Amino acid sequence: MQSTTIGRQRVWFEQSEEFHILKREIFSQHVYYVELGGEEDGESEGLQAGAPVIIDAGAHIGLATISFLLHWPQAKIWAIEPLPEHVAILKKNCAEFGQPDVTIIKGALTAVGDEAMLHLDSSPNRWWSTGSLTPGAWNAQQQTAPRRVAALQLSTLLRDIGTPIDLLKMDIEGNELEVLREARD
């Protein structure tokens, strides 16, 4: 396993090329940047007691979670990731932040819950961040192999959390609309 630093924190990863592309998207291009309540420091009235409640669905190894923690160190985050290999790295990366208030859930966020068939890159590159419920991955053009994973529905998660969510980040490879429709009530 390899590591580098983001800010002053050590971050662990396995696939170097994939990691650096995702790191650039999240930390240089700021693809998940958002102002909650008008201020980044959590002191605005738009946040719950200055600490946002965040769901990070498709957490992978935790780069978006880390980005949120750098903006809002007191955030309460639910990080959802279906692959045990990524969950292990996600836990390690969150531990580097001194055990922040991150709840890690091993499962895929789907419209149907319980179990799902995830299709993962089966090339030597193993770009598993592109895994999808669709054969051929998110773009239907990758060489993939299926793997059964645990799954949960957004409506169930929201009921379990039991508090309003300030930010819902979903990077679940094309299944976002289906998941939102399931939880619309």
Side-chain angles (χ1 to χ4, degrees):
M1 188 174 316
Q2 303 170 63
S3 71
T4 189
T5 56
I6 294 178
R8 291 182 281 162
Q9 303 299 324
R10 180 146 309 279
V11 178
W12 301 90
F13 60 95
E14 285 190 344
Q15 213 284 6
S16 184
E17 186 179 1
E18 177 183 47
F19 168 79
H20 288 290
I21 288 171
L22 294 172
K23 179 183 170 206
R24 186 172 36 258
E25 286 178 358
I26 294 169
F27 294 96
S28 297
Q29 297 170 353
H30 307 287
V31 295
Y32 297 128
Y33 176 79
V34 63
E35 291 184 22
L36 299 177
E39 296 189 23
E40 288 184 28
D41 62 3
E43 296 301 320
S44 68
E45 62 183 71
L47 298 181
Q48 301 171 38
V53 177
I54 299 170
I55 294 175
D56 180 1
H60 190 243
I61 62 170
L63 295 182
T65 298
I66 290 166
S67 174
F68 300 142
L69 289 170
L70 289 171
H71 277 6
W72 304 286
Q74 303 305 314
K76 180 150 184 63
I77 301 174
W78 279 263
I80 304 160
E81 173 56 41
L83 296 177
E85 298 90 338
H86 292 164
V87 169
I89 300 170
L90 174 61
K91 287 179 180 178
K92 189 173 181 94
N93 284 336
C94 287
E96 291 288 335
F97 279 81
Q99 302 300 329
D101 199 354
V102 177
T103 300
I104 297 171
I105 299 171
K106 186 171 74 172
L109 199 57
T110 70
V112 295
D114 291 336
E115 281 190 338
M117 191 63 71
L118 198 61
H119 298 271
L120 302 171
D121 180 2
S122 60
S123 76
N125 295 329
R126 291 177 40 140
W127 278 48
W128 287 358
S129 67
T130 61
S132 175
L133 299 177
T134 306
W138 67 276
N139 62 5
Q141 296 178 8
Q142 289 182 345
Q143 175 185 341
T144 60
R147 185 193 292 186
R148 189 167 304 283
V149 296
L152 69 151
Q153 294 174 301
L154 180 57
S155 60
T156 302
L157 179 61
L158 292 170
R159 272 193 302 277
D160 290 349
I161 291 172
T163 188
I165 304 301
D166 294 299
L167 177 60
L168 170 60
K169 172 262 180 187
M170 288 195 299
D171 186 358
I172 54 175
E173 305 308 322
N175 293 296
E176 293 84 358
L177 187 56
E178 197 174 300
V179 166
L180 287 171
R181 282 184 180 138
E182 179 279 322
R184 70 179 160 246
D185 292 338

